[in-house]
Amino acid sequence: MAIHKVMVIGAGQMGAGIAQVCAQSGYEVVLNDLSEEALDKGLKGIERQLARSVEKERMTEKEKTEVLGRLNTSRQRSDAESCDLIIEAVVENMEVKTKVFADLDEIAPEHAILASNTSSLPITEIAAATKRPDQVIGMHFMNPVPVMKLVEIIRGLQTSDETFKAIEDMTVQLSKTPVEVQDFPGFVSNRILMPMINEAIYAVYEGIASPEDIDTVMKLGTNHPMGPLTLADFIGLDTCLYIMEVLHDGFGDSKYRPCPLLRKYVKAGWLGRKSGRGFYQYE
Ligand SMILES: CC(=O)CC(=O)SCCNC(=O)CCNC(=O)[C@H](O)C(C)(C)COP(=O)(O)OP(=O)(O)OC[C@H]1O[C@@H](n2cnc3c(N)ncnc32)[C@H](O)[C@@H]1OP(=O)(O)O
Ligand SMILES: NC(=O)C1=CN([C@@H]2O[C@H](COP(=O)(O)OP(=O)(O)OC[C@H]3O[C@@H](n4cnc5c(N)ncnc54)[C@H](OP(=O)(O)O)[C@@H]3O)[C@@H](O)[C@H]2O)C=CC1
């Protein structure tokens, strides 16, 4: 199936990054969000990234103008009616995502693929909210999207081979590396990464060391580019908590229990970098 036009739903940190890489790879892109403010912020971030690429001579001014010319914003979900692929990147919440997919199923053309950038939620369950479960798939980009090379592609129980192939081909077109993963909570990336981050939060909670020292241990001692608490702030503490809850509920194993300190920070609105405060303070 040929994909020309892509809608990205949710102009948060992931949605904006996905829209950027799609437009840079030649796709027509519609970035959709309910809030004008989120769209403005998303678009400004993309313009900043592209300006930096021009400065670093990775892109010409003309190419930047062309990329931005392929990128439109919209507040109407009905604009999905002209798209071949819709990539959903809204909050990590099953109720919200199934509602978005049920809506999209009514709007998107019959041939369109509906993909979710979910970090951990079952694709099979998201697909069941539609009448086209064979055309629903997980397309899990990593943060920051323009930099990270991986896309986990998650097959739901009913995802067709044709849908899988179209998304695998597109991932290569985006200059990313696809890895096929089966539909289990947290897939591969977050099943491994998030318990490590949760454990680092327990180390703060139990007073083993300061956040700075925990991050230093992991950066200098195990060569991680960011310490786990810096990374948690970067991902978003709300997203980290949702993922731990999905692992905990999905496997019913107490080893995945979210650290109470993580819950407390999220309740306080300390969501990490995006809210200005998490384990560290920003600005
Ligand atoms: C939660 C999930 O479901 C799944 C996930 O995504 S888990 C998170 C996965 N991501 C990670 O683990 C990221 C870990 N961190 C890193 O790899 C690095 O710290 C990093 C790439 C983010 C930054 O690298 P760095 O060397 O420390 O900093 P810096 O030199 O400023 O940046 C390196 C390059 O990345 C780019 N970059 C950094 N942050 C960026 C961002 N938010 N968006 C776009 N580009 C960014 C910079 O522009 C820079 O590119 P150039 O040198 O070509 O200009
Ligand atoms: N952060 C990360 O490192 C990664 C996240 N992901 C996944 O990507 C998705 C988005 O995460 P991220 O971009 O970080 O999150 P952000 O918080 O940056 O953005 C969340 C988006 O969800 C929208 N949203 C929030 N509540 C609702 C709602 N009730 N109905 C519809 N839309 C809503 C927001 O819209 P508005 O602005 O209008 O409020 C915003 O566009 C999640 O599923 C997450 O798990 C995947 C890989 C990495």
Side-chain angles (χ1 to χ4, degrees):
M1 202 212 71
I3 296 170
H4 301 291
K5 190 167 175 186
V6 181
M7 177 181 264
V8 180
I9 306 219
Q13 54 178 342
M14 293 305 289
I18 295 167
Q20 181 189 329
V21 297
C22 289
Q24 275 183 243
S25 301
Y27 295 93
E28 287 295 320
V29 180
V30 183
L31 179 58
N32 173 279
D33 202 292
L34 300 172
S35 124
E36 193 68 50
E37 201 189 327
L39 286 172
D40 272 0
K41 193 169 164 222
L43 200 56
K44 286 218 172 75
I46 295 171
E47 282 167 357
R48 235 187 352 260
Q49 292 288 327
L50 296 178
R52 191 179 159 86
S53 292
V54 173
E55 235 171 72
K56 293 215 149 192
E57 296 181 354
R58 280 193 301 254
M59 185 183 272
T60 62
E61 191 61 44
K62 182 168 173 277
E63 282 165 338
K64 178 185 139 196
T65 306
E66 284 166 2
V67 171
L68 289 172
R70 284 193 288 272
L71 189 61
N72 289 296
T73 57
S74 128
R75 291 175 61 204
Q76 272 82 47
R77 227 170 254 167
S78 56
D79 290 333
E81 68 190 5
S82 60
C83 295
D84 308 304
L85 167 67
I86 295 99
I87 306 176
E88 165 279 313
V90 303
V91 63
E92 187 74 348
N93 175 295
M94 183 56 98
E95 224 174 283
V96 175
K97 289 201 193 281
T98 46
K99 169 86 181 59
V100 169
F101 273 74
D103 277 1
L104 288 173
D105 193 31
E106 298 295 321
I107 300 164
E110 236 172 71
H111 72 274
I113 293 177
L114 310 182
S116 175
N117 180 54
T118 176
S119 296
S120 59
L121 292 163
I123 297 301
T124 304
E125 194 175 335
I126 294 174
T130 73
K131 293 183 215 74
R132 60 178 98 187
D134 54 320
Q135 287 163 237
V136 176
I137 194 159
M139 193 177 191
H140 183 208
F141 291 83
M142 302 289 135
N143 188 12
V145 180
V147 178
M148 305 300 279
K149 286 286 166 211
L150 177 76
V151 177
E152 272 185 314
I153 304 184
I154 304 104
R155 273 180 188 265
L157 195 59
Q158 301 183 68
T159 307
S160 70
D161 289 343
E162 196 191 353
T163 299
F164 180 83
K165 177 84 173 61
I167 295 303
E168 187 182 44
D169 289 350
M170 177 171 173
T171 300
V172 172
Q173 197 66 37
L174 298 176
S175 306
K176 308 261 181 223
T177 302
V179 173
E180 181 181 352
V181 176
Q182 297 305 316
D183 188 19
F184 282 92
F187 318 125
V188 170
S189 54
N190 282 317
R191 183 161 175 182
I192 296 171
L193 175 69
M194 215 40 81
M196 184 199 68
I197 287 178
N198 195 45
E199 207 56 37
I201 301 172
Y202 266 108
V204 179
Y205 182 59
E206 292 170 10
I208 296 173
S210 67
E212 289 83 355
D213 284 349
I214 291 166
D215 278 349
T216 300
V217 166
M218 296 307 286
K219 271 197 306 184
L220 302 188
T222 65
N223 258 5
H224 288 209
M226 278 176 172
L229 300 163
T230 303
L231 183 56
D233 275 359
F234 180 60
I235 290 168
L237 299 187
D238 51 343
T239 302
C240 293
L241 177 59
Y242 301 146
I243 296 170
M244 284 313 295
E245 280 170 343
V246 170
L247 292 172
H248 196 208
D249 290 350
F251 292 115
D253 188 328
S254 64
K255 77 177 173 184
Y256 298 113
R257 77 226 173 282
C259 179
L261 189 63
L262 175 59
R263 280 193 197 287
K264 195 180 218 174
Y265 278 19
V266 172
K267 285 219 168 86
W270 294 7
L271 306 182
R273 199 182 279 244
K274 66 184 167 189
S275 74
R277 179 151 197 186
F279 289 96
Y280 300 95
Q281 248 181 298
Y282 301 87
E283 283 142 34

